[in-house]
Amino acid sequence: PHLFENMDGRRLINVAPAAGSYLSQPHNGRGVAVGDIDRDGDVDVAVSHLNAPVALLLNESNVQSNWLSLRLIGTNGNRDAIGAHIKLETASGTQSRLIKGGGSYASTSDRRVHFGLGESAVVKQVEIRWPSGMVETFSDVSANQWIELVEASGNSTTIAK
């Protein structure tokens, strides 16, 4: 297995051997799915294998950073909002995500979109470009929560903090 750490955008280094017993041994992995399985605000990983049980890798890092998780529900097209583009702006920069319908072989990741926010406690702006072509914008969104956004509703619903 490989686990890469981003070194300030300059290069990636493989930190798998130091990341626990699972990542320091070879496996015949076939599929991978990601999502916040334990609902603690960071992304966890499930790996399916050939002729072996599924492995659940919980992210138990000690880094306490802010985050935001969005679930989009389409009303003028597909309900899963596949094809929607999300742009998020914080004091430290801009991030974007695309809702995709596929993923890894024989596995599907959580449809919620996760953003790591670092030290930003507020998202200045969230822009959703829905597959229908509609654009919605939400301002001053607090970090560290799961939010559900329904197309054309003009508001958001906090699922949990």
Side-chain angles (χ1 to χ4, degrees):
H2 297 288
L3 176 65
F4 294 100
E5 182 176 351
N6 184 341
M7 307 304 290
D8 297 321
R10 292 189 200 103
R11 64 187 176 111
L12 301 174
I13 60 169
N14 185 9
V15 295
S21 61
Y22 177 84
L23 291 173
S24 64
Q25 301 171 16
H27 302 280
N28 285 321
R30 289 296 178 255
V32 65
V34 297
D36 187 359
I37 294 166
D38 55 4
R39 297 183 59 89
D40 64 353
D42 55 32
V43 177
D44 307 302
V45 179
V47 183
S48 62
H49 299 101
L50 180 63
N51 300 323
V54 170
L56 178 58
L57 308 175
L58 296 176
N59 183 347
E60 296 181 352
S61 59
N62 293 326
V63 177
Q64 297 298 316
S65 295
N66 293 311
W67 54 274
L68 183 65
S69 185
L70 304 175
R71 178 173 180 239
L72 275 56
I73 299 175
T75 59
N76 295 319
N78 69 83
R79 182 167 172 76
D80 288 330
I82 294 168
H85 183 262
I86 305 161
K87 188 166 83 172
L88 180 143
E89 181 185 341
T90 66
S92 58
T94 302
Q95 298 180 49
S96 65
R97 301 280 189 280
L98 177 67
I99 305 284
K100 298 182 283 186
S104 183
Y105 173 75
S107 36
T108 300
S109 293
D110 188 353
R111 292 245 190 266
R112 289 178 295 180
V113 181
H114 185 86
F115 291 91
L117 304 178
E119 302 205 5
S120 297
V122 174
V123 175
K124 291 180 182 179
Q125 182 172 294
V126 176
E127 179 184 273
I128 313 287
R129 291 187 176 275
W130 297 93
S132 66
M134 179 181 200
V135 178
E136 288 184 283
T137 304
F138 302 89
S139 301
D140 300 322
V141 179
S142 296
N144 304 324
Q145 61 180 330
W146 289 272
I147 297 177
E148 188 172 272
L149 300 167
V150 179
E151 182 179 13
S153 70
N155 58 32
S156 63
T157 303
T158 299
I159 303 303
K161 282 191 175 189

